[in-house]
């Protein structure tokens, strides 16, 4: 029998967070095979992810009888409600909390040296890139529209990897409010509130841009158990397209995800460190497949956007910077 699993650990995997969010959205029960097919996983891998989510108390486990008889299938369903205190406690207290707090303090001290760019600036920029990467790793493609509410929902979904309780609490035609992200920076908050605010702002800004919408962020309130409340206001357009000049282009449209990733591996081999490979992809899950490879290989996924080639054919454009 598996032991208890913290919510932060259970949702610390982008894939598990995506599975949990999918089950919450459909409000129904799925088998291991259903999840494996939806997320393009081996059934044993899907079973492991579902088991971790169940051990954390995020899913309930039941059985479904086969119409033709035989052994009932095990099914998984998201719990209708989650204890907010438990979720926040789990997100704010990583394993080895005291040791983690010490590591944060030491790293901040080492990084904040005279002559370096301001640490707050670097923290914001790094968090922004991470927010974009989290969105790129989500299953499915960004919606073609540019509604701020849709982008905020997708951003919140991606950020649940670090903060299980993040959500869009209110929304209008050109604005939305997001809360629940603060527990992800709780350890930094105790040491340097300004640095924590920069990290939180950067994560949300990057996730919104990765979802296809540029928005102004304003902190409207803080101090609740959910932490800061961010108000997102539409700036009147989509996130600006990247102006990076690619050193090489790979058209992976019409290929399977695995074949496209293999060709990208070969193409980037011939580039110099710091060069950018442009990949044109299509189909559900393609951005996530390339993001997983880039993350494992140490490359940086610097942009994901809708695009068209010279003939007007649509594509998902990914810019991948080769690791040093």
């Amino acid at each position: 029998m598996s032991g208890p699993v913290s919510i932060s650990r259970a949702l610390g995997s982008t894939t598990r967070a995506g599975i949990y969010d999918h089950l919450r959205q459909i409000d129904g029960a799925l088998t291991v095979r259903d999840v494996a097919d939806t997320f393009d996983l081996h059934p044993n891998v899907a079973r492991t992810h579902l088991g971790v989510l169940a051990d954390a108390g995020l899913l309930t486990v039941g059985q479904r009888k086969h119409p033709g008889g035989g052994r009932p299938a095990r099914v998984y369903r998201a719990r209708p409600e989650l204890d907010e205190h438990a979720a926040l406690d789990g997100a704010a207290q990583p394993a080895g909390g005291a040791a983690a707090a010490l590591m944060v303090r030491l790293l901040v001290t080492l990084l904040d040296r005279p002559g370096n760019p301001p640490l707050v600036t670097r923290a914001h920029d790094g968090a922004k890139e991470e927010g974009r990467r989290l969105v790129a790793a989500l299953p499915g493609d960004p919606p073609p529209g540019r509604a701020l509410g849709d982008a905020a929902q997708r951003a919140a979904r991606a950020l649940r990897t670090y903060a299980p309780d993040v959500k869009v609490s209110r929304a209008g035609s050109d604005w939305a409010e997001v809360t629940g992200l603060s527990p992800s920076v709780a350890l930094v908050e105790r040491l340097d509130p300004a640095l924590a605010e920069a990290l939180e702002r950067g994560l949300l800004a990057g996730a919104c841009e990765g979802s296809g919408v540029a928005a102004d962020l304003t902190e409207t309130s803080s101090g609740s158990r959910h932490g800061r409340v961010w108000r997102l206001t539409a700036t009147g357009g989509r996130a600006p397209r990247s102006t990076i000049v690619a050193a090489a282009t790979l058209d992976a449209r019409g290929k399977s995800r695995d074949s496209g990733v293999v060709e990208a591996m070969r193409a980037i081999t011939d580039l110099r460190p710091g060069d950018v490979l442009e990949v044109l992809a299509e189909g559900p899950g393609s951005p996530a497949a390339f993001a997983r490879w880039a993350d494992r290989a140490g490359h940086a996924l610097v942009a994901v956007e809708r695009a068209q080639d010279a003939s007007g054919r649509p594509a998902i454009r990914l810019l991948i910077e080769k690791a040093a």
Side-chain angles (χ1 to χ4, degrees):
M1 178 79 63
S2 300
V5 175
S6 70
I7 291 174
S8 58
R9 178 190 161 195
L11 297 178
S13 158
T14 301
T15 300
R16 278 199 296 274
I19 292 171
Y20 174 60
D21 191 61
H22 180 63
L23 282 164
R24 288 179 63 187
Q25 289 186 13
I26 66 169
D27 191 26
L30 296 179
T31 64
V32 169
R33 175 60 65 180
D34 294 334
V35 172
D37 290 344
T38 300
F39 288 86
D40 194 21
L41 300 171
H42 189 280
N44 289 340
V45 176
R47 184 178 292 106
T48 298
H49 284 315
L50 289 165
V52 172
L53 291 168
D55 289 341
L58 295 169
L59 305 182
T60 59
V61 184
Q63 291 186 331
R64 178 189 296 161
K65 292 183 179 179
H66 291 290
R71 185 178 181 182
R74 179 173 291 187
V75 293
Y76 298 82
R77 181 190 297 270
R79 288 188 180 277
E81 293 185 8
L82 183 66
D83 187 307
E84 293 182 348
H85 293 286
L88 289 171
D89 288 346
Q93 299 293 336
L102 174 61
M103 291 301 103
V104 169
R105 181 179 296 277
L106 292 175
L107 286 171
V108 169
T109 301
L110 290 170
L111 291 169
D112 198 13
R113 296 288 190 183
N116 285 341
L119 183 57
V120 168
T121 301
R122 285 180 288 151
H124 177 272
D125 293 345
K128 197 171 183 180
E129 182 176 331
E130 176 66 7
R132 288 193 290 261
R133 187 193 69 79
L134 288 171
V135 170
L138 285 175
D141 300 329
R146 61 182 188 184
L148 179 63
D150 292 341
Q153 291 287 359
R154 187 171 177 84
R157 179 183 175 192
L159 293 170
R160 289 189 190 116
T161 299
Y162 295 139
D165 229 33
V166 67
K167 64 181 180 181
V168 177
S169 56
R170 298 195 303 158
S173 60
D174 61 351
W175 62 274
E177 288 187 353
V178 176
T179 185
L181 186 54
S182 294
S184 64
V185 296
L187 288 175
V188 181
E189 184 80 41
R190 301 168 194 165
L191 177 67
D192 189 333
L195 183 59
E197 190 270 350
L199 289 167
E200 191 173 337
R201 181 188 293 271
L203 281 169
L204 185 53
C208 286
E209 287 188 9
S211 299
V213 172
D216 291 327
L217 272 66
T218 305
E219 185 183 345
T220 62
S221 63
S222 61
S224 70
R225 65 173 181 269
H226 292 288
R228 298 179 182 86
V229 177
W230 294 98
R231 188 178 182 90
L232 283 59
T233 307
T235 60
R238 292 180 63 84
R241 290 184 180 274
S242 172
T243 57
I244 298 173
V245 177
T249 297
L250 168 66
D251 191 345
R253 292 171 295 180
K255 306 179 187 298
S256 69
R257 287 194 294 263
D258 290 343
S259 297
V261 169
V262 169
E263 291 202 15
M265 291 178 184
R266 294 171 179 163
I268 208 166
T269 301
D270 298 329
L271 304 185
R272 297 173 299 178
D275 281 351
V276 172
L277 173 66
E278 177 187 54
V279 177
L280 301 180
E282 64 182 355
S286 290
F290 285 97
R292 286 193 295 268
W293 157 65
D295 191 43
R296 289 195 302 267
H299 307 309
L301 181 64
V302 296
V304 180
E305 58 193 18
R306 295 280 183 177
Q308 291 183 341
D309 60 19
S311 66
R313 183 182 171 193
I316 302 169
R317 181 173 182 250
L318 301 97
L319 297 179
I320 301 169
E321 181 179 326
K322 184 173 180 178

